[in-house]
Amino acid sequence: CCVPITQIQCNTWKKNINTDELTKKGLFCSTDDIITAKIWKALVAIRMKQVGPLQDDQKTTISRAYNVRKRMKPKLDSGYFGNFTTGIRTSMLVCDIIKMKPREIALRLRSDLQNVMTEMIFARGKWLKEQYEQSRSVTPVMDDKAMTFLISS
């Protein structure tokens, strides 16, 4: 599904979320964080209408692309080329997503991105390499209520 959103709308959302109060605390949300939060909240609401009432402890997970290139320490050599992304997952309770404002969800998404360490990236890369060398299939784990979503912006 492709959802057209104008740059003007994105800038308005970003301005409304990244208030002086927030930035004084050293916090911010990227355009991707904000759009992902709004889409995640909408997808959860739609899925709840499709599957009916859920248990209070039902989780929902969002998986989105994570640009590893910008976050490596040490930085990648200037001669490196190619795609260097992985997925980052954030899980929350469905009941929390429904109650939360997009700003709160976006801040959680931003926090999860910022908490990824270089060591975690290397460990994931090593694990993936081992799986491929042993001809194992690596696929995302989904839940029985289909509350896991993949988003790419």
Side-chain angles (χ1 to χ4, degrees):
C1 163
C2 179
V3 179
I5 302 170
T6 67
Q7 185 65 48
I8 293 169
Q9 184 62 57
C10 289
N11 290 343
T12 301
W13 289 340
K14 203 168 178 180
K15 181 181 173 191
N16 290 340
I17 287 178
N18 290 318
T19 60
D20 288 342
E21 172 194 346
L22 194 67
T23 56
K24 284 178 184 173
K25 295 178 185 176
L27 302 172
F28 79 99
C29 293
S30 71
T31 302
D32 185 71
D33 298 330
I34 296 163
I35 291 171
T36 301
K38 287 179 173 285
I39 291 172
W40 190 12
K41 186 174 176 76
L43 288 170
V44 166
I46 290 166
R47 185 75 82 228
M48 286 177 66
K49 288 192 182 290
Q50 292 171 335
V51 299
L54 299 169
Q55 300 293 322
D56 286 344
D57 63 348
Q58 175 69 47
K59 284 188 178 178
T60 177
T61 300
I62 195 79
S63 180
R64 63 184 181 148
Y66 176 80
N67 186 349
V68 176
R69 181 187 305 267
K70 295 180 179 180
R71 294 172 173 88
M72 293 299 295
K73 291 178 186 171
K75 297 285 183 195
L76 291 176
D77 184 306
S78 61
Y80 179 85
F81 70 95
N83 222 358
F84 197 13
T85 62
T86 188
I88 182 162
R89 295 167 69 94
T90 297
S91 294
M92 297 176 69
L93 295 177
V94 168
C95 61
D96 291 340
I97 289 281
I98 294 301
K99 290 184 227 167
M100 294 170 78
K101 293 180 179 174
R103 173 185 176 170
E104 297 167 303
I105 299 167
L107 284 167
R108 170 66 188 275
L109 292 166
R110 171 59 33 191
S111 174
D112 286 355
L113 276 178
Q114 291 176 323
N115 287 327
V116 174
M117 296 181 285
T118 301
E119 298 80 17
M120 293 165 64
I121 296 166
F122 281 119
R124 179 170 170 76
K126 181 181 177 197
W127 179 82
L128 284 169
K129 183 177 185 261
E130 290 168 358
Q131 302 312 302
Y132 291 130
E133 286 173 347
Q134 296 176 20
S135 298
R136 293 185 181 143
S137 177
V138 177
T139 57
V141 176
M142 303 295 187
D143 58 275
D144 65 334
K145 299 288 186 197
M147 297 300 286
T148 301
F149 306 99
L150 308 174
I151 294 182
S152 178
S153 59

